[in-house]
Amino acid sequence: MKHRTIIEPFRIKSVEPIALSTEQERTAHLERAHFNPFLLPSRSVIIDLLTDSGTSAMSARQWAGMMEGDEAYAGSVSWHRMEQEVQDLTGMQHVLPTHQGRAAERIIYGHLGGPGKVFISNTHFDTTRANIEFSGAMAIDIPIAEGRDPALEHPFKGNMDLQALALLLTEHKANVGAVILTVTNNSGGGQPVSMANAAGVARLCKEHGVLFLLDCCRVAENSWFVKHREEGMATLSYREIAQHMFALADGAVMSAKKDALVNMGGFLALRDSALAEACKNLLIITEGFATYGGLSGRDMEAIAIGLQEVFDPSYLDYRIRSTSYLGDALHAMGVPLMRPIGGHAVYIDAKRLYPHIPPEEYPGQTLVCELYRLGGIRSVEIGSVMFGKYDDAGSLVPASMELVRLAIPRRVYTQSHIEYVIETFEEVLRTRHEARGFRIVKEPRFLRHFTAHFEQL
Ligand code: F0G
């Protein structure tokens, strides 16, 4: 018998209580947080879908591994376990441990970047772009056209536009610092990249003598889509698919807080010895010695084990199917969202949900606050609060989309938690016409979404 129900392929042996609250209490919490969920204490959140980063539940095997963590400053046994695991997965000789993804990004893009340099990606994640731009270089996004249309169905919306890549490589020649393929494409909706697309990118990079890097923090989730959607891939294991993709690249940057199933960690993996040597020198200055790079021995044990567990077919099947379970249920109810559903999150189109709230009044922020008020659910606005800019006259130039991301932590919530989220959306839909927009009353100059204060209109 083939079951309809997606069961969590684990039993729970340690629990973390959730503090339940009433709508009245949450209304007060929201006011105290100036209607910005980033300012809510996590104790007042019932279901936290702010991010899938660093929020995974570790397995019994990982916790047991932590007890074996070797905290030696140099040559730690735990480091060798992590190094071997990453080498086996990526096929890359040189591995540099970092405390999280952006530390690896700062090292590699700080080294390759600088004024006049250009980086090209399907979509640079915010911290990737920030590290590139901070070096003085430019970051250009070239997703395929299908990837820019939220409602359109396409199996690999995370793909890079290869024609645009060929043109840019010819135009910028020796000034291209690297080409970066983000798998899955987080900023583009957690959408997968096909093996054929990665191979196309690799071919063009080789032709032009340009470095090709994978931003691989969700590479296992990407492998699930490749196996199930791409011709000729069904017979490979998820891990083999990831290994094939790594084989195409010259290096990889990883935030282990996602698909390594840990709460903290990252790495940079490279093939080229001279480049690795230069990066290692930078690593030692700010992260730590080359055999720990800002991580405890126990963290490195947990990463080594997490990188194995994430490729377990029953885990990955549960992971991807349970994310789309939420997305498909909301879609069926008539909640406008990004299609098809990606690997780690569901992205709601707040502009279409609240057509009466203009971008200047931040419809995404409205949904974020409604989800918290009605259900204690925390999500994040990815729209004009995050990406809006002011022109010279001081008027807001809105972002191209007004999205809200519901990111699903790995192995943390059960199906009944997800049913609760779906039920909360019934009320969001029922009351959508009464929802009101917001104005910003206080904001910093950079990254305002983290700390801005809002007032309801
Ligand atoms: N690259 C991608 C594609 C990411 O999604 C992230 C983090 C990073 C790099 C940076 O890694 O946080 O370990 O420094 N994404 C988190 C998120 C923050 O919520 O999507 P980090």
Side-chain angles (χ1 to χ4, degrees), residues 65-292:
M66 287 187 84
M67 283 307 293
E68 299 212 328
D70 173 4
E71 305 303 340
Y73 190 97
S76 152
V77 175
S78 306
W79 159 243
H80 287 298
R81 288 209 183 108
M82 173 176 161
E83 184 187 34
Q84 268 173 13
E85 197 52 48
V86 176
Q87 284 172 334
D88 180 67
L89 177 62
T90 62
M92 296 173 193
Q93 175 67 31
H94 304 286
V95 185
L96 283 68
T98 61
H99 79 275
Q100 62 182 90
R102 70 196 71 180
E105 292 177 338
R106 188 183 52 73
I107 289 168
I108 183 84
Y109 303 131
H111 177 71
L112 298 172
K117 289 284 163 114
V118 172
F119 290 80
I120 306 163
S121 178
N122 47 348
T123 310
H124 295 84
F125 180 67
D126 332 359
T127 57
T128 318
R129 173 176 288 278
N131 275 293
I132 288 167
E133 290 178 349
F134 187 71
S135 80
M138 186 165 66
I140 304 174
D141 293 337
I142 47 164
I144 54 168
E146 292 88 337
R148 296 185 197 265
D149 179 352
L152 191 91
E153 298 276 352
H154 182 284
F156 290 105
K157 272 174 122 172
N159 283 355
M160 189 183 281
D161 182 338
L162 295 180
Q163 245 175 335
L165 177 61
L167 288 175
L168 285 170
L169 288 173
T170 307
E171 184 187 343
H172 295 282
K173 289 196 178 73
N175 291 328
V176 180
V179 173
I180 306 157
L181 198 55
T182 312
V183 297
T184 58
N185 190 11
N186 184 6
S187 311
Q191 298 291 332
V193 174
S194 70
M195 191 68 79
N197 189 252
V201 172
R203 195 176 53 244
L204 285 169
C205 286
K206 199 154 271 152
E207 267 170 42
H208 290 81
V210 167
L211 196 74
F212 171 28
L213 301 175
L214 281 185
D215 179 343
C216 65
C217 61
R218 299 182 180 87
V219 68
E221 293 175 2
N222 197 79
S223 297
W224 188 93
F225 291 103
V226 168
K227 186 177 170 80
H228 294 276
R229 292 187 184 168
E230 191 166 356
E231 207 161 320
M233 294 288 148
T235 55
L236 297 177
S237 71
Y238 296 118
R239 194 178 174 90
E240 284 166 345
I241 290 171
Q243 284 167 327
H244 276 270
M245 202 168 264
F246 281 116
L248 297 167
D250 302 308
V253 179
M254 171 127 186
S255 167
K257 299 171 74 171
K258 286 79 169 176
D259 271 355
L261 300 172
V262 294
N263 305 116
M264 194 54 71
F267 63 78
L268 174 62
L270 294 165
R271 291 188 199 284
D272 184 79
S273 301
L275 179 59
E277 197 56 37
C279 289
K280 204 169 277 184
N281 291 332
L282 295 172
L283 178 83
I284 296 171
I285 294 173
T286 57
E287 282 286 296
F289 185 57
T291 63
Y292 73 89

